[in-house]
Amino acid sequence: MRILLVPDKFKGSLTSVEVCEALKKGIANKIPGAEIIFHPMADGGDGSIQVLSNFLPVQKQTLSTTDALGKKIVSTFFTVTKGAKIQTSAGRVIPQMTRSSHEASRTEQQDHGGQATVYVELAETSGLSKLADSERSPLSTTTFGTGQIMITAHQLGFNQQYLFLGGSSTHDLGLGIAAAWGFQFLNNDGNPFIPTGGTLGQLRKIIPADGLPGPNLKIKLVCDVENPLTGPEGAAHTYAPQKGADLPLVEKLETGTRHAAAVLSDFCGRDISQFAGSGAAGGIPAGLSALLDAQIQAGFDFIAQATGLEAQIQRADLVISGEGRLDHQTLNGKVPAGVAKLCQKWNKPLLLVAGDNRLGEAAKSLFQADQVCSVLDLASSVSDAMTNAERYLKQIGENFFS
């Protein structure tokens, strides 16, 4: 029996690989001869590049940059170029390749549009996880440090760029990123400034960076949400509270966002406030689509294709997926929903596991799953579930086949 494990991480508790390991222990106790295949997954949120590194020949790089509050940090990003060696020294990225080897590495990247590819995770530099709870403030945080990584990679010839948007601490519409690329933003007095969530209303004029975006630059924004930039389902109302904003601050962010969106729309000649996903990660798709012609890429679809998930599901006898919390958001592009669609396509039985199943009995019909189990059904409390998730997942692995 070939059993395919395709979980997302259980956020704050276990990585997707650790979920696989725990389930495997339980399954092996009940079906010792089963062939158990790990296929850890993500949907474009934080941790996505770590998942990709299990399947692709990525090279981890480091660079001195700044976090969302401007503090100096050393951040990581990943490149995909065979033979292209990059080292860091005193905060500078130094390409260790001749021109001929660089061109050869480009030729090898046919699976990535024929260009050297870089993967950048927003959360690694501009994420909530980099800040203490007391530091969370979407009025003052910036994506500038993430932009420093992207422009450095571009200068080294990495023109196919994937920016994974999960875990953002910012609400600057990606204008910090654009400032790092050389765009200038002027206020009422004609003075340049780097906009943050609290100063979006001061934006009056945009001066483009020379030669950008350029014909070779292709930026894909990988995310798992479809929220627009403004309105009750927009970036401020939906995501700013988890970044530290109370209701009055949410309204201030909404007002500033509407103003900045109008300026950006005038700059690029089209409305950037309402397309699906424009509100992700504090509005980064809205700003970068206007300034750098960035395109949104559905996170699950991209990672599934990059890792060959559909072929694995075709070969499986049974698929097990899940995530930390099953709720109505899961239905919109999250890992279990994407896996369920592929299982339905290939007529494969599906079991689901969650830390917390907020959908109750409806989860089985919504995902056409044979069984749905949750850690909280076994644990004595949320704290117990988070702390002892590995033990409970092992038990669930056994229960699935009891």
Side-chain angles (χ1 to χ4, degrees):
M1 186 177 192
R2 186 182 179 92
I3 301 173
L4 182 65
L5 306 182
V6 198
D8 198 349
K9 65 184 177 298
F10 279 35
K11 193 167 186 176
S13 184
L14 298 175
T15 68
S16 52
V17 172
E18 290 169 337
V19 174
C20 288
E21 292 281 6
L23 288 170
K24 178 183 177 180
K25 291 176 183 176
I27 295 168
N29 285 343
K30 291 293 183 179
I31 312 179
E35 182 183 7
I36 302 172
I37 309 299
F38 288 12
H39 197 109
M41 270 296 292
D43 53 24
D46 45 323
S48 292
I49 299 178
Q50 185 60 49
V51 166
L52 285 171
S53 70
N54 294 311
F55 301 91
L56 301 179
V58 299
Q59 296 178 336
K60 184 177 180 179
Q61 319 295 346
T62 60
L63 177 68
S64 293
T65 182
T66 54
D67 70 8
L69 292 176
K71 295 181 295 185
K72 290 184 178 181
I73 59 171
V74 175
S75 190
T76 62
F77 60 104
F78 295 79
T79 56
V80 189
T81 50
K82 299 176 184 177
K85 189 70 173 177
I86 293 183
Q87 297 177 346
T88 58
S89 176
R92 295 187 300 120
V93 176
I94 305 173
Q96 300 295 312
M97 63 182 94
T98 63
R99 179 175 177 80
S100 59
S101 67
H102 194 173
E103 292 303 318
S105 72
R106 287 172 178 269
T107 303
E108 292 167 344
Q109 295 308 305
Q110 295 304 313
D111 290 340
H112 296 271
Q115 298 189 53
T117 302
V118 63
Y119 295 129
V120 180
E121 202 162 273
L122 182 74
E124 176 64 25
T125 302
S126 308
L128 282 172
S129 63
K130 298 296 179 180
L131 304 178
D133 289 349
S134 60
E135 294 178 313
R136 295 185 177 189
S137 174
L139 294 179
S140 55
T141 47
T142 175
T143 55
F144 186 83
T146 298
Q148 289 179 308
I149 293 176
M150 296 172 69
I151 185 61
T152 299
H154 173 62
Q155 291 167 347
L156 292 170
F158 292 91
N159 294 323
Q160 181 87 355
Q161 302 199 359
Y162 290 87
L163 177 60
F164 294 80
L165 297 182
S168 164
S169 68
T170 63
H171 190 100
D172 69 352
L173 281 60
L175 302 189
I177 290 173
W181 283 78
F183 283 83
Q184 291 189 59
F185 303 99
L186 307 184
N187 62 18
N188 284 330
D189 298 323
N191 296 321
F193 72 113
I194 299 176
T196 63
T199 60
L200 290 172
Q202 300 176 23
L203 179 62
R204 290 299 179 271
K205 184 177 181 181
I206 301 171
I207 300 176
D210 291 340
L212 290 176
N216 295 324
L217 178 64
K218 302 201 181 306
I219 297 177
K220 297 285 189 179
L221 306 173
V222 186
C223 67
D224 62 353
V225 302
E226 298 183 351
N227 301 70
L229 178 63
T230 58
E233 302 298 322
H237 287 279
T238 304
Y239 300 112
Q242 69 192 39
K243 302 173 186 179
D246 57 17
L247 184 57
L249 293 186
V250 166
E251 294 300 336
K252 178 176 180 177
L253 289 170
E254 177 72 11
T255 300
T257 299
R258 289 181 180 277
H259 170 81
V263 178
L264 285 162
S265 295
D266 286 344
F267 177 85
C268 68
R270 55 188 170 81
D271 182 11
I272 51 85
S273 67
Q274 293 301 310
F275 68 84
S278 57
I284 288 175
L288 295 193
S289 69
L291 303 175
L292 290 170
D293 198 27
Q295 305 293 316
I296 283 185
Q297 174 81 56
F300 175 84
D301 293 344
F302 170 71
I303 297 173
Q305 182 178 8
T307 62
L309 176 60
E310 185 166 0
Q312 287 282 19
I313 288 177
Q314 284 180 257
R315 292 193 292 269
D317 297 309
L318 172 68
V319 179
I320 301 178
S321 186
E323 64 177 0
R325 176 185 293 171
L326 283 178
D327 58 20
H328 286 289
Q329 291 188 28
T330 307
L331 299 170
N332 299 319
K334 299 287 189 178
V335 168
V339 172
K341 288 179 181 178
L342 290 174
C343 286
Q344 292 158 28
K345 177 179 178 180
W346 295 105
N347 195 30
K348 302 293 182 177
L350 172 67
L351 309 179
L352 288 180
V353 59
D356 181 9
N357 176 17
R358 297 286 180 91
L359 297 173
E361 286 298 316
K364 290 178 69 174
S365 60
L366 288 169
F367 298 102
Q368 296 187 28
D370 290 84
Q371 294 185 57
V372 180
C373 291
S374 103
V375 171
L376 270 180
D377 288 340
L378 303 175
S380 60
S381 65
V382 172
S383 176
D384 179 32
M386 297 284 285
T387 303
N388 298 301
E390 181 179 2
R391 172 162 59 88
Y392 290 124
L393 285 172
K394 175 177 175 290
Q395 184 176 341
I396 287 172
E398 294 177 348
N399 293 346
F400 274 144
F401 299 95
S402 61

